[in-house]
Amino acid sequence: MKRIFFYTIVMMLIFCACKRDDASKVVIIISSADSLSNLKSGDKVAFRIHSFANEDVIRNITVTSSDVQNGRMLVFDTLINAEKFDYDYLYTVPDYNTTVRLTFEAFSSDNTSSSSMSAMLRIIDNNVVLPSFDGIIMYAANSNNKNGFNINNVQTLYCETTNSSQIDIYDYYDTLVEHTVLSREWRSKTGILFARFNDFNFATATKFGVMSAFENAAKYTSIKNLTNGDIILIGDNNKALGVIQLTAIYDEENTANDRYVFNFKKVQ
């Protein structure tokens, strides 16, 4: 009995009921064993949904999220048409700093009655400065050295002997033309998009900062006229994957030593 009483008190502290009519035809009760504060992007938070009908049946149950970044969004909706419903709902913490209100709501079959509860989630990690991988060297395409780069593994590679599915960035040159100078052009074999953003502060780059900048930047399938000091945001059609700071470009008489030196911050 003491354990039940303690559990009830904890749930009252974590969740708040929202304007529920005592005579509601349907009732919804939410609980979670997971922490709802100090959450990190990508964390999974499990909620136990328990709903039942006092009369009639439960038509459907919805979950909506509300925050300053995206406003109000429907994140879960399922038809029930039953007198009782139990379900474990898994919520994935978004990639930005904010407080998220999740509202769980059950509706009667005629939509004249409903019951809801809300939970507040606090995300705290997206203002952390991303770690930097410094001094990465990627050689020219015609140097017979490592002339490609893989984002996931943060490593350079030989394009000639590596599967194209691993070559996120590579130094491009036209094989039909003899080159004695560095092309200063990068392309991708995996659909990576490039956005030059030299006003972006590489030193203080955070996950949220990189994602916001990439979302609003003009993106291209290649980037040309590379020069020392360039800041290059990289990602795909779905999201940002990181940011590059070019620290040196060497274009020597012998192409064997032509190379780019850069620092890289990866969005996890």
Side-chain angles (χ1 to χ4, degrees):
M1 178 65 70
K2 288 183 179 180
R3 292 184 64 182
I4 294 173
F5 177 75
F6 174 75
Y7 182 80
T8 302
I9 294 297
V10 171
M11 288 304 101
M12 287 174 64
L13 292 174
I14 293 176
F15 298 97
C16 60
C18 302
K19 283 188 176 181
R20 194 173 71 202
D21 181 359
D22 290 337
S24 177
K25 296 179 181 179
V26 294
V27 175
I28 190 167
I29 300 171
I30 308 300
S31 61
S32 178
D34 296 336
S35 171
L36 303 186
S37 61
N38 298 328
L39 295 168
K40 298 179 180 179
S41 300
D43 281 352
K44 307 290 185 181
V45 183
F47 293 94
R48 180 65 174 173
I49 301 176
H50 174 61
S51 184
F52 59 91
N54 288 320
E55 54 182 278
D56 202 356
V57 295
I58 308 159
R59 187 194 67 184
N60 69 306
I61 286 178
T62 64
V63 182
T64 56
S65 68
S66 180
D67 61 74
V68 296
Q69 180 75 14
N70 289 317
R72 185 177 174 85
M73 294 192 308
L74 180 68
V75 294
F76 178 79
D77 188 3
T78 184
L79 289 173
I80 308 298
N81 291 322
E83 294 181 358
K84 182 179 178 182
F85 180 69
D86 289 291
Y87 183 74
D88 291 316
Y89 172 70
L90 199 61
Y91 178 75
T92 302
V93 175
D95 293 323
Y96 46 84
N97 264 46
T98 189
T99 297
V100 176
R101 177 189 289 271
L102 291 180
T103 301
F104 301 78
E105 192 163 13
F107 297 89
S108 63
S109 64
D110 57 6
N111 206 32
T112 61
S113 183
S114 66
S115 171
S116 66
M117 290 188 74
S118 293
M120 301 296 293
L121 286 71
R122 175 62 180 163
I123 308 162
I124 50 85
D125 76 322
N126 291 309
N127 284 328
V128 176
V129 174
L130 295 171
S132 182
F133 300 87
D134 295 338
I136 299 170
I137 300 175
M138 188 175 78
Y139 285 84
N142 53 353
S143 67
N144 295 318
N145 213 319
K146 292 182 178 181
N147 56 342
F149 181 67
N150 178 267
I151 294 171
N152 187 54
N153 297 323
V154 192
Q155 67 180 98
T156 52
L157 41 80
Y158 293 94
C159 291
E160 293 77 10
T161 58
T162 302
N163 189 293
S164 60
S165 65
Q166 299 297 311
I167 306 172
D168 295 313
I169 300 173
Y170 67 96
D171 181 55
Y172 171 79
Y173 81 110
D174 189 343
T175 56
L176 299 178
V177 179
E178 184 177 353
H179 288 269
T180 58
V181 296
L182 195 63
S183 71
R184 296 176 182 260
E185 179 179 350
W186 289 354
R187 295 189 182 187
S188 173
K189 294 183 182 292
T190 60
I192 294 299
L193 301 175
F194 304 89
R196 197 190 320 263
F197 202 142
N198 289 343
D199 290 332
F200 185 81
N201 192 327
F202 181 87
T204 62
T206 64
K207 180 176 183 178
F208 180 60
V210 174
M211 294 181 68
S212 296
F214 184 76
E215 181 179 352
N216 293 295
K219 296 171 276 289
Y220 303 94
T221 55
S222 67
I223 187 164
K224 303 177 180 180
N225 303 316
L226 292 166
T227 187
N228 290 349
D230 274 349
I231 305 294
I232 305 159
L233 301 165
I234 55 175
D236 54 28
N237 285 318
N238 297 315
K239 63 178 182 179
L241 297 174
V243 58
I244 289 173
Q245 178 189 52
L246 266 170
T247 58
I249 298 178
Y250 296 93
D251 188 1
E252 303 178 354
E253 289 186 13
N254 189 334
T255 58
N257 250 351
D258 288 354
R259 62 199 184 276
Y260 307 88
V261 182
F262 59 89
N263 303 329
F264 174 61
K265 291 191 174 186
K266 179 182 176 183
V267 172
Q268 301 293 336

